Amino acid sequence: MDFNKVIELLKNSGYKLTNQRKIIIEALYHSDKPISMEEWLLLTKDKNPGINLSTIYRNIDVLEDLGLLEKIRPKDGSIKYTLNLMEHHSHFLICKRCGKAEAIECCLSKEFKKIIEDKEFDLIEHNLELYGYCKECHTELDKK
Amino acid sequence: MDFNKVIELLKNSGYKLTNQRKIIIEALYHSDKPISMEEWLLLTKDKNPGINLSTIYRNIDVLEDLGLLEKIRPKDGSIKYTLNLMEHHSHFLICKRCGKAEAIECCLSKEFKKIIEDKEFDLIEHNLELYGYCKECHTELDKK
DNA sequence: ATGCGTGCAAAACCTTTGCACGTCA
DNA sequence: TGACGTGCAAAGGTTTTGCACGCAT
């Protein structure tokens, strides 16, 4: 989904397009990886220093309402945000060193689905986060 | 791992067995599902009303040090705690209605592993949460 | 024009920490 | 006895909220 489509969806859902809102969403849209609130704030203040933290929090609600926000919750307790613009359900390979996140297609194994089915569990959604070291960081770490 | 083994591990690691600590761990041990801090506090106060919230938080550190604590982070932003006593890495089927959580064996699919391998990503850990309705709740919901 | 959105500050929450006292080994 | 553990209260950090003003529609 391109940025204009996001804005369109926003307007069609009855939300106003303010300068702040545009900057806030744009910051997330153009980030190539999930970002923390702190990073998000910096990115937005970069474009408009007057933007308040609470405005971002309020726009989180908007993005959630639009079904566009993905919250990533690493084991370390932090929260990272990213836009979920894919058709396909996807997950991230998250590098523990550089923070780079790469979306991958989801494929729960057949055996897995069978186990769940056997329990007559009605699976609605799932959340998978994969942590490790990306190729580049792995190479770097090997050097030491 | 039975409860005595947990206590043994605790002592062998140089921690003292206090009345509070025992109650705190026991509460989590006997709970059949991951519990919130609030539930954990209630369960412990049930046995000893004097136990302080900060003592539980401090014992979280202890349990983490022992590698026994599993923190579950549902999408709703809450945090739930459970003891991780299995040999095998496991995940939970969590019922969105009754909250019951059932551990299942983990098995990332071969295709999945291959995709990750192809990217030369060095996978360290992963976190999978499965949400849906358990058999009982599904039946209940169908009645309506 | 009018109601939604924002900045600001305060409040609400959750978690951590310092300190003095208590208790386990 | 001595070090670790705890209760209490205060501090810290993050997120939410009330209010008055501002701006998009």
Side-chain angles (χ1 to χ4, degrees):
Chain A
M1 204 189 296
D2 81 350
F3 190 69
N4 289 330
K5 270 226 158 180
V6 173
I7 297 303
E8 202 177 309
L9 174 59
L10 185 80
K11 288 180 169 179
N12 290 341
S13 302
Y15 292 108
K16 289 177 180 170
L17 180 62
T18 63
N19 171 266
Q20 293 94 325
R21 182 164 284 162
K22 183 153 176 271
I23 289 172
I24 288 167
I25 299 174
E26 214 158 15
L28 197 58
Y29 185 90
H30 287 124
S31 170
D32 59 336
K33 60 171 193 191
I35 56 177
S36 67
M37 176 53 68
E38 199 181 345
E39 293 170 309
W40 200 354
L41 184 62
L42 286 175
L43 286 171
T44 57
K45 284 206 181 266
D46 208 46
K47 290 284 172 62
N48 177 344
I51 292 179
N52 195 274
L53 182 58
S54 61
T55 302
I56 300 184
Y57 277 111
R58 282 191 269 234
N59 275 293
I60 284 178
D61 296 339
V62 173
L63 290 172
E64 285 191 318
D65 180 39
L66 299 177
L68 294 179
L69 194 72
E70 175 108 13
K71 288 188 188 178
I72 312 255
R73 306 171 178 284
K75 287 268 176 194
D76 67 8
S78 66
I79 304 181
K80 304 224 168 177
Y81 305 90
T82 193
L83 284 177
N84 175 14
L85 306 172
M86 327 250 171
E87 317 276 310
H88 302 85
H89 181 83
S90 71
H91 297 296
F92 287 99
L93 285 175
I94 304 161
C95 181
K96 290 162 81 83
R97 184 162 174 270
C98 69
K100 191 174 65 191
E102 180 175 5
I104 56 174
E105 290 279 311
C106 167
C107 38
L108 285 185
S109 72
K110 286 181 192 123
E111 306 101 281
F112 215 122
K113 283 180 181 155
K114 178 145 195 334
I115 289 173
I116 294 167
E117 207 170 280
D118 285 348
K119 294 183 186 298
E120 299 184 53
F121 190 88
D122 179 27
L123 188 64
I124 305 287
E125 52 179 318
H126 64 276
N127 180 34
L128 176 61
E129 293 155 11
L130 301 141
Y131 296 92
Y133 296 106
C134 68
K135 188 180 172 183
E136 291 71 27
C137 286
H138 192 82
T139 307
E140 282 301 311
L141 291 169
D142 273 351
K143 287 182 188 164
K144 290 174 186 170
Chain B
M1 205 190 296
D2 80 351
F3 189 70
N4 289 330
K5 271 225 158 181
V6 173
I7 297 303
E8 201 177 309
L9 174 58
L10 185 81
K11 288 180 170 178
N12 290 341
S13 302
Y15 292 108
K16 288 178 181 171
L17 180 62
T18 63
N19 172 266
Q20 293 94 323
R21 181 163 286 162
K22 183 152 176 273
I23 289 172
I24 288 167
I25 299 174
E26 213 158 17
L28 196 57
Y29 186 89
H30 287 124
S31 170
D32 60 337
K33 60 170 193 191
I35 55 176
S36 66
M37 177 52 69
E38 199 182 346
E39 293 169 310
W40 200 354
L41 183 63
L42 285 175
L43 287 170
T44 57
K45 283 207 182 267
D46 207 47
K47 291 284 172 64
N48 177 345
I51 292 179
N52 194 276
L53 181 58
S54 62
T55 301
I56 300 183
Y57 278 111
R58 282 192 270 233
N59 274 293
I60 283 178
D61 296 339
V62 173
L63 289 171
E64 285 192 317
D65 180 39
L66 299 177
L68 295 179
L69 194 72
E70 175 108 11
K71 288 188 188 179
I72 312 252
R73 305 171 178 285
K75 288 268 177 192
D76 66 8
S78 65
I79 303 181
K80 304 224 169 179
Y81 304 90
T82 192
L83 284 176
N84 174 14
L85 306 171
M86 326 250 172
E87 318 276 310
H88 303 86
H89 182 84
S90 71
H91 297 294
F92 286 98
L93 285 175
I94 304 161
C95 182
K96 289 162 82 83
R97 184 163 175 269
C98 69
K100 191 173 66 190
E102 179 175 7
I104 57 174
E105 291 278 311
C106 167
C107 38
L108 286 185
S109 73
K110 285 181 193 125
E111 305 103 280
F112 216 122
K113 283 180 181 155
K114 180 144 193 334
I115 289 172
I116 294 167
E117 207 171 280
D118 285 350
K119 293 183 186 298
E120 299 184 52
F121 190 88
D122 179 26
L123 188 65
I124 306 287
E125 55 178 315
H126 65 277
N127 180 34
L128 175 61
E129 293 155 10
L130 301 141
Y131 296 92
Y133 296 106
C134 68
K135 189 180 172 182
E136 292 71 28
C137 286
H138 192 82
T139 307
E140 282 300 311
L141 291 168
D142 274 348
K143 287 182 187 163
K144 289 175 187 169

PDB file of all heavy atoms in Angstrom, chain B residues 26-39:
ATOM      1  N   GLU B  26       5.404 -20.576  44.611  1.00  0.00           N
ATOM      2  CA  GLU B  26       4.368 -21.606  44.692  1.00  0.00           C
ATOM      3  C   GLU B  26       3.092 -21.165  43.967  1.00  0.00           C
ATOM      4  O   GLU B  26       2.456 -21.948  43.267  1.00  0.00           O
ATOM      5  CB  GLU B  26       4.044 -21.880  46.172  1.00  0.00           C
ATOM      6  CG  GLU B  26       3.660 -23.309  46.460  1.00  0.00           C
ATOM      7  CD  GLU B  26       3.895 -23.637  47.937  1.00  0.00           C
ATOM      8  OE1 GLU B  26       4.036 -22.699  48.752  1.00  0.00           O
ATOM      9  OE2 GLU B  26       3.928 -24.827  48.279  1.00  0.00           O
ATOM     10  N   ALA B  27       2.754 -19.908  44.143  1.00  0.00           N
ATOM     11  CA  ALA B  27       1.550 -19.373  43.493  1.00  0.00           C
ATOM     12  C   ALA B  27       1.659 -19.540  41.973  1.00  0.00           C
ATOM     13  O   ALA B  27       0.719 -19.988  41.316  1.00  0.00           O
ATOM     14  CB  ALA B  27       1.365 -17.904  43.844  1.00  0.00           C
ATOM     15  N   LEU B  28       2.812 -19.200  41.467  1.00  0.00           N
ATOM     16  CA  LEU B  28       3.013 -19.309  40.023  1.00  0.00           C
ATOM     17  C   LEU B  28       3.065 -20.775  39.612  1.00  0.00           C
ATOM     18  O   LEU B  28       2.511 -21.170  38.582  1.00  0.00           O
ATOM     19  CB  LEU B  28       4.323 -18.612  39.642  1.00  0.00           C
ATOM     20  CG  LEU B  28       4.527 -18.274  38.171  1.00  0.00           C
ATOM     21  CD1 LEU B  28       3.401 -17.400  37.651  1.00  0.00           C
ATOM     22  CD2 LEU B  28       5.862 -17.584  37.968  1.00  0.00           C
ATOM     23  N   TYR B  29       3.701 -21.567  40.445  1.00  0.00           N
ATOM     24  CA  TYR B  29       3.849 -22.993  40.143  1.00  0.00           C
ATOM     25  C   TYR B  29       2.493 -23.681  40.033  1.00  0.00           C
ATOM     26  O   TYR B  29       2.275 -24.500  39.146  1.00  0.00           O
ATOM     27  CB  TYR B  29       4.694 -23.672  41.221  1.00  0.00           C
ATOM     28  CG  TYR B  29       5.015 -25.114  40.924  1.00  0.00           C
ATOM     29  CD1 TYR B  29       6.151 -25.444  40.192  1.00  0.00           C
ATOM     30  CD2 TYR B  29       4.178 -26.146  41.349  1.00  0.00           C
ATOM     31  CE1 TYR B  29       6.453 -26.763  39.899  1.00  0.00           C
ATOM     32  CE2 TYR B  29       4.469 -27.473  41.052  1.00  0.00           C
ATOM     33  CZ  TYR B  29       5.607 -27.778  40.332  1.00  0.00           C
ATOM     34  OH  TYR B  29       5.895 -29.091  40.031  1.00  0.00           O
ATOM     35  N   HIS B  30       1.623 -23.347  40.936  1.00  0.00           N
ATOM     36  CA  HIS B  30       0.340 -24.046  40.963  1.00  0.00           C
ATOM     37  C   HIS B  30      -0.719 -23.457  40.041  1.00  0.00           C
ATOM     38  O   HIS B  30      -1.801 -24.019  39.893  1.00  0.00           O
ATOM     39  CB  HIS B  30      -0.187 -24.131  42.398  1.00  0.00           C
ATOM     40  CG  HIS B  30       0.569 -25.109  43.234  1.00  0.00           C
ATOM     41  ND1 HIS B  30       1.177 -24.753  44.414  1.00  0.00           N
ATOM     42  CD2 HIS B  30       0.870 -26.407  43.032  1.00  0.00           C
ATOM     43  CE1 HIS B  30       1.811 -25.819  44.912  1.00  0.00           C
ATOM     44  NE2 HIS B  30       1.642 -26.826  44.089  1.00  0.00           N
ATOM     45  N   SER B  31      -0.402 -22.321  39.470  1.00  0.00           N
ATOM     46  CA  SER B  31      -1.350 -21.760  38.523  1.00  0.00           C
ATOM     47  C   SER B  31      -1.286 -22.555  37.223  1.00  0.00           C
ATOM     48  O   SER B  31      -0.214 -22.899  36.747  1.00  0.00           O
ATOM     49  CB  SER B  31      -1.020 -20.296  38.248  1.00  0.00           C
ATOM     50  OG  SER B  31      -1.795 -19.844  37.171  1.00  0.00           O
ATOM     51  N   ASP B  32      -2.442 -22.843  36.664  1.00  0.00           N
ATOM     52  CA  ASP B  32      -2.469 -23.676  35.455  1.00  0.00           C
ATOM     53  C   ASP B  32      -2.349 -22.861  34.176  1.00  0.00           C
ATOM     54  O   ASP B  32      -2.413 -23.382  33.085  1.00  0.00           O
ATOM     55  CB  ASP B  32      -3.755 -24.506  35.420  1.00  0.00           C
ATOM     56  CG  ASP B  32      -4.981 -23.624  35.418  1.00  0.00           C
ATOM     57  OD1 ASP B  32      -4.870 -22.470  35.874  1.00  0.00           O
ATOM     58  OD2 ASP B  32      -6.043 -24.071  34.954  1.00  0.00           O
ATOM     59  N   LYS B  33      -2.183 -21.565  34.345  1.00  0.00           N
ATOM     60  CA  LYS B  33      -2.062 -20.703  33.159  1.00  0.00           C
ATOM     61  C   LYS B  33      -1.181 -19.510  33.496  1.00  0.00           C
ATOM     62  O   LYS B  33      -0.960 -19.218  34.666  1.00  0.00           O
ATOM     63  CB  LYS B  33      -3.446 -20.227  32.737  1.00  0.00           C
ATOM     64  CG  LYS B  33      -4.129 -19.439  33.840  1.00  0.00           C
ATOM     65  CD  LYS B  33      -5.390 -18.765  33.374  1.00  0.00           C
ATOM     66  CE  LYS B  33      -5.826 -17.736  34.438  1.00  0.00           C
ATOM     67  NZ  LYS B  33      -7.150 -17.202  34.223  1.00  0.00           N
ATOM     68  N   PRO B  34      -0.677 -18.827  32.489  1.00  0.00           N
ATOM     69  CA  PRO B  34       0.099 -17.609  32.753  1.00  0.00           C
ATOM     70  C   PRO B  34      -0.774 -16.587  33.470  1.00  0.00           C
ATOM     71  O   PRO B  34      -1.946 -16.425  33.133  1.00  0.00           O
ATOM     72  CB  PRO B  34       0.461 -17.121  31.349  1.00  0.00           C
ATOM     73  CG  PRO B  34       0.400 -18.341  30.494  1.00  0.00           C
ATOM     74  CD  PRO B  34      -0.719 -19.152  31.066  1.00  0.00           C
ATOM     75  N   ILE B  35      -0.215 -15.925  34.442  1.00  0.00           N
ATOM     76  CA  ILE B  35      -1.008 -14.967  35.215  1.00  0.00           C
ATOM     77  C   ILE B  35      -0.403 -13.564  35.146  1.00  0.00           C
ATOM     78  O   ILE B  35       0.787 -13.400  34.920  1.00  0.00           O
ATOM     79  CB  ILE B  35      -1.119 -15.389  36.702  1.00  0.00           C
ATOM     80  CG1 ILE B  35       0.272 -15.589  37.319  1.00  0.00           C
ATOM     81  CG2 ILE B  35      -1.951 -16.651  36.832  1.00  0.00           C
ATOM     82  CD1 ILE B  35       0.222 -15.911  38.800  1.00  0.00           C
ATOM     83  N   SER B  36      -1.267 -12.592  35.370  1.00  0.00           N
ATOM     84  CA  SER B  36      -0.822 -11.203  35.387  1.00  0.00           C
ATOM     85  C   SER B  36      -0.216 -10.893  36.748  1.00  0.00           C
ATOM     86  O   SER B  36      -0.377 -11.647  37.697  1.00  0.00           O
ATOM     87  CB  SER B  36      -2.017 -10.280  35.154  1.00  0.00           C
ATOM     88  OG  SER B  36      -2.910 -10.373  36.245  1.00  0.00           O
ATOM     89  N   MET B  37       0.467  -9.765  36.833  1.00  0.00           N
ATOM     90  CA  MET B  37       1.043  -9.354  38.113  1.00  0.00           C
ATOM     91  C   MET B  37      -0.050  -9.209  39.176  1.00  0.00           C
ATOM     92  O   MET B  37       0.132  -9.577  40.326  1.00  0.00           O
ATOM     93  CB  MET B  37       1.788  -8.031  37.923  1.00  0.00           C
ATOM     94  CG  MET B  37       2.376  -7.455  39.192  1.00  0.00           C
ATOM     95  SD  MET B  37       3.410  -8.609  40.115  1.00  0.00           S
ATOM     96  CE  MET B  37       4.805  -8.771  39.020  1.00  0.00           C
ATOM     97  N   GLU B  38      -1.174  -8.667  38.753  1.00  0.00           N
ATOM     98  CA  GLU B  38      -2.286  -8.470  39.673  1.00  0.00           C
ATOM     99  C   GLU B  38      -2.763  -9.807  40.251  1.00  0.00           C
ATOM    100  O   GLU B  38      -2.963  -9.949  41.457  1.00  0.00           O
ATOM    101  CB  GLU B  38      -3.430  -7.783  38.919  1.00  0.00           C
ATOM    102  CG  GLU B  38      -4.444  -7.120  39.818  1.00  0.00           C
ATOM    103  CD  GLU B  38      -5.571  -6.503  39.012  1.00  0.00           C
ATOM    104  OE1 GLU B  38      -5.425  -6.353  37.764  1.00  0.00           O
ATOM    105  OE2 GLU B  38      -6.604  -6.173  39.623  1.00  0.00           O
ATOM    106  N   GLU B  39      -2.914 -10.777  39.347  1.00  0.00           N
ATOM    107  CA  GLU B  39      -3.355 -12.105  39.806  1.00  0.00           C
ATOM    108  C   GLU B  39      -2.306 -12.730  40.716  1.00  0.00           C
ATOM    109  O   GLU B  39      -2.636 -13.345  41.734  1.00  0.00           O
ATOM    110  CB  GLU B  39      -3.590 -13.017  38.590  1.00  0.00           C
ATOM    111  CG  GLU B  39      -4.758 -12.601  37.726  1.00  0.00           C
ATOM    112  CD  GLU B  39      -4.803 -13.347  36.388  1.00  0.00           C
ATOM    113  OE1 GLU B  39      -3.765 -13.404  35.680  1.00  0.00           O
ATOM    114  OE2 GLU B  39      -5.874 -13.862  36.054  1.00  0.00           O
TER     115      GLU B  39
END
